[in-house]
């Protein structure tokens, strides 16, 4: 079985805030320090789709684009859908679409992603930068992009089938030997700089490519999903470790509404339906709480991942 995995990111790859132990033991509230939490998390999000399903889903995306913009030759970006200046620049003015209609498109776009929850599977890795000390920050093991890429490659190794991986272009050139492109290939080819290695050779990944997102609908979906996962952790990431309690005393995690809209798309273990550590991994994750992310997702308990 051949799959394509389209990968995009959300959040800053760089470290912005200095390391401080109290940020781990007594983290500040999001409402008091929103900028700190926006700078803290980095997300790498992969969208996995079977090659045989791509044509049908791609045409559905193009149909939706044509309905609202009159053409499918346009790009969907999460930032452009949210930021007032970008909305006007990229959508409202060039396509003569109203703000309400643009909002409606955004809703229908995320509904389409959820409609194909069995075919469009998410594999995402979250990097919690406050947990990495000064020494590790200067290594590949502590580099948000490289470490999340390594873990994502590992997850693909055990996901079944073979994969062609397509990253959103990160440099001005598509050359494979340029900047972050070269760094990612070094991780893929030889785990360069990594100390914790669980897979010596990624033989289930047949190729790694880089592509401009404007030319690929599935990269555009990955972009939107990456941001929704980023927002989940920016606002509620401290609850991931299970310290927030509900009235019944059990661990509870608040949910960002648009994370809730895509949570049924996460890749899961076929027997246990577990998502944590498979479709969604947080680095580090000392508590390893097995969140029931797929609760209510499937009326058929044996629903397959296609």
């Amino acid at each position: 079985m051949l799959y394509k995995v389209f990968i995009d990111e959300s959040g800053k790859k760089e470290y912005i805030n200095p390391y401080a132990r109290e940020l781990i033991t007594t983290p500040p509230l999001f409402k008091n320090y929103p900028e700190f939490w926006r700078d803290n998390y980095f997300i790498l999000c992969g969208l996995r789709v079977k090659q045989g399903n791509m044509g049908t889903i791609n045409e559905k995306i193009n149909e939706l684009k044509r309905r609202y913009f009159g053409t499918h030759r346009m790009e969907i970006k999460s930032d452009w859908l949210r930021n007032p200046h970008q909305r006007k620049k990229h959508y409202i003015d060039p396509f003569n679409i109203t703000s309400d209609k643009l909002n409606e498109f955004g809703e229908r776009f995320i509904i389409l992603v959820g409609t194909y929850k069995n075919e469009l599977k998410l594999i995402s890795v979250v990097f919690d930068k406050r947990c990495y000390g000064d020494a590790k920050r200067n290594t590949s093991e502590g580099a948000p992009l490289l470490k999340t890429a390594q873990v994502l490659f590992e997850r693909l190794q055990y996901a079944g089938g073979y994969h062609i991986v397509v990253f959103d272009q990160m440099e001005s050139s598509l050359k494979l030997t340029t900047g972050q492109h070269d760094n990612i290939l070094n991780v893929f080819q030889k785990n360069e700089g990594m100390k914790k290695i669980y897979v010596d050779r990624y033989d289930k990944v047949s190729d790694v490519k880089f592509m401009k997102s404007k030319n690929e609908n599935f990269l555009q979906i990955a972009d939107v999903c990456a941001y929704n996962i980023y927002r989940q952790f920016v606002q509620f990431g401290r609850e991931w470790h299970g310290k927030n309690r509900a009235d019944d005393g059990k661990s509870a995690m608040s949910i960002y509404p648009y994370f809730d809209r895509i949570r049924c798309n996460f890749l899961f273990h076929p027997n246990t339906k577990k998502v944590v550590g498979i479709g969604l991994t947080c680095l580090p994750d000392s508590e390893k709480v097995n969140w029931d992310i797929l609760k209510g997702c499937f009326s058929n308990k044996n629903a397959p991942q296609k």
Side-chain angles (χ1 to χ4, degrees), residues 38-293:
R38 291 187 186 109
D39 291 338
N40 178 67
Y41 288 103
F42 174 77
I43 313 295
L44 201 64
C45 179
L47 180 78
R48 181 180 187 245
V49 54
K50 189 190 300 181
Q51 183 128 323
N53 291 331
M54 288 180 60
T56 298
I57 299 172
N58 193 59
E59 182 52 34
K60 290 292 185 182
I61 299 168
N62 286 339
E63 286 177 6
L64 187 63
K65 286 182 173 183
R66 287 191 290 266
R67 190 186 315 164
Y68 283 87
F69 302 100
T71 178
H72 65 274
R73 299 184 183 280
M74 47 82 63
E75 183 174 7
I76 301 304
K77 277 184 174 291
S78 176
D79 181 57
W80 296 357
L81 289 172
R82 293 178 290 104
N83 183 298
H85 173 73
Q86 301 291 1
R87 283 165 63 90
K88 180 175 173 59
K89 176 182 177 181
H90 294 285
Y91 302 130
I92 294 175
D93 285 351
F95 295 104
N96 195 29
I97 186 174
T98 66
S99 181
D100 286 344
K101 278 294 184 181
L102 183 57
N103 292 341
E104 184 180 300
F105 168 82
E107 284 294 311
R108 292 189 179 278
F109 187 80
I110 205 71
I111 288 171
L112 189 150
V113 174
T115 299
Y116 287 99
K117 63 187 178 185
N118 294 330
E119 293 84 5
L120 298 173
K121 306 307 296 185
L122 297 173
I123 307 174
S124 186
V125 186
V126 180
F127 195 95
D128 190 347
K129 288 185 271 188
R130 69 195 160 113
C131 299
Y132 290 79
D134 294 333
K136 184 163 282 189
R137 290 182 180 202
N138 294 318
T139 68
S140 295
E141 190 75 24
L145 174 62
L146 301 185
K147 187 60 184 178
T148 53
Q150 182 204 26
V151 172
L152 203 149
F153 284 138
E154 288 175 352
R155 298 303 178 264
L156 294 178
Q157 184 68 19
Y158 297 112
Y162 291 87
H163 305 86
I164 296 172
V165 174
V166 182
F167 282 87
D168 185 21
Q169 178 182 345
M170 298 178 185
E171 305 291 344
S172 58
S173 167
L174 285 172
K175 290 182 179 179
L176 298 180
T177 55
T178 302
Q180 297 290 9
H181 296 177
D182 185 48
N183 293 335
I184 288 173
L185 285 177
N186 285 334
V187 170
F188 166 61
Q189 292 168 348
K190 51 191 175 184
N191 276 316
E192 186 171 288
M194 297 298 171
K195 292 183 179 180
K196 293 183 179 179
I197 299 173
Y198 300 101
V199 177
D200 292 323
R201 182 168 172 263
Y202 304 108
D203 56 6
K204 300 301 182 183
V205 178
S206 56
D207 197 8
V208 175
K209 302 178 178 181
F210 297 88
M211 182 181 291
K212 294 180 179 180
S213 59
K214 69 178 182 180
N215 299 326
E216 179 52 72
N217 281 335
F218 293 100
L219 279 174
Q220 295 168 37
I221 295 177
D223 171 87
V224 171
C225 291
Y227 177 77
N228 291 340
I229 298 166
Y230 168 76
R231 277 292 298 272
Q232 169 66 24
F233 278 83
V234 165
Q235 291 189 229
F236 307 117
R238 278 64 65 208
E239 299 176 13
W240 178 263
H241 303 288
K243 295 180 180 180
N244 187 46
R245 301 288 173 176
D247 293 338
D248 60 4
K250 295 181 179 180
S251 295
M253 183 169 59
S254 306
I255 301 293
Y256 172 63
Y258 283 92
F259 177 86
D260 193 39
R261 303 282 290 276
I262 63 170
R263 65 182 176 84
C264 295
N265 289 78
F266 281 106
L267 189 72
F268 56 84
H269 190 283
N271 297 326
T272 64
K273 301 298 186 289
K274 178 182 177 182
V275 168
V276 177
I278 297 170
L280 182 58
T281 303
C282 184
L283 304 175
D285 189 5
S286 57
E287 303 301 324
K288 293 181 170 55
V289 179
N290 186 20
W291 295 106
D292 186 10
I293 291 173

